Amino acid sequence: MSDAYEPLRAKMVREQLMARHIDDERVLKAMYTVPRHLFVHPDFQKNAYEDRPLPIGNDQTISQPFMVALMTQLLELTGGEKVLDIGTGSGYQAAVLAEIASVVYSIERHESLARQALHRLRELDYDNVEVLVGDGTQGLPSRAPFDGILVAATGPIIPGPLRTQMADGARMVLPVGEGEDQNLMRVWRDGNRWEVEKILRVRFVPLLGRFGFVED
Ligand code: SAH
């Protein structure tokens, strides 16, 4: 997309992603294409391509570009997949996934965030993203199985319903843990076995719900 922020986006791709082992061409192209500045509050547009998370309202944040790219790369999508995205937030991660997959279902527990995200995604012609309001820890049984699942908030465990909604051979990428002690995990389903791999230490907002943390 050609806009005033294109040079900053290109720089972000080179310096924050390519320099840190993001090498999946589909992911790099998606990160170069999605106008991240249109997913943040106007006051933060000038900061949209910096190497950090940004506030999006309701005490939530849009993840750092590197984290969005890494999680997307770990899903190993090749195009044509049906993906589940938990924690829509601004809708940015959903848009990045929608550049690669054929359909994205995105669940957000805050109705106001979901509404704004949907509005943004439609304005930008992401017609292959469906945004739903609800508890993402329960997944979306009516649309399962999914070829990939990405969770952008940290819970105490890997939610059981999300495991069972993975297609055979699918991957799920999610943070697990609390406070300072969180790790990004990748789960791979092989028939009735789920292989779990620890990727790196991370910092995410809490996943609240039936198979997440209990709300205060
Ligand atoms: N992916 C987002 C950032 C997400 S921040 C983006 O690109 O902007 C994490 C989001 O998860 C927050 O919006 C929070 O409200 C949401 N969340 C937390 N628990 C949830 C749950 N059980 N179901 C759905 N969304 C949840």
Coordinates of all heavy atoms in Angstrom, one line a residue, residues 61 115 162 213:
T61 N -3.4 -3.6 24.7 CA -2.3 -3.1 23.8 C -2.3 -3.9 22.5 O -2.7 -5.0 22.4 CB -0.9 -3.3 24.5 OG1 -0.7 -4.6 24.8 CG2 -0.8 -2.4 25.7
R115 N -16.2 -3.9 18.0 CA -16.9 -3.0 17.0 C -16.0 -2.1 16.2 O -16.1 -2.0 15.0 CB -18.0 -2.2 17.8 CG -19.0 -1.6 16.9 CD -20.2 -1.0 17.6 NE -20.3 -1.1 19.1 CZ -19.8 -0.2 19.9 NH1 -19.3 0.9 19.5 NH2 -20.0 -0.4 21.2
L162 N -9.5 -25.2 22.7 CA -8.7 -24.7 21.6 C -7.9 -25.9 21.0 O -7.7 -26.0 19.8 CB -7.8 -23.6 22.0 CG -8.5 -22.3 22.4 CD1 -7.5 -21.2 22.7 CD2 -9.6 -21.8 21.4
F213 N -7.8 -16.9 32.9 CA -7.9 -16.4 34.3 C -9.3 -15.9 34.6 O -10.1 -15.5 33.7 CB -6.9 -15.2 34.5 CG -5.5 -15.6 34.4 CD1 -4.7 -15.2 33.3 CD2 -4.9 -16.4 35.4 CE1 -3.3 -15.6 33.2 CE2 -3.6 -16.8 35.3 CZ -2.8 -16.4 34.2

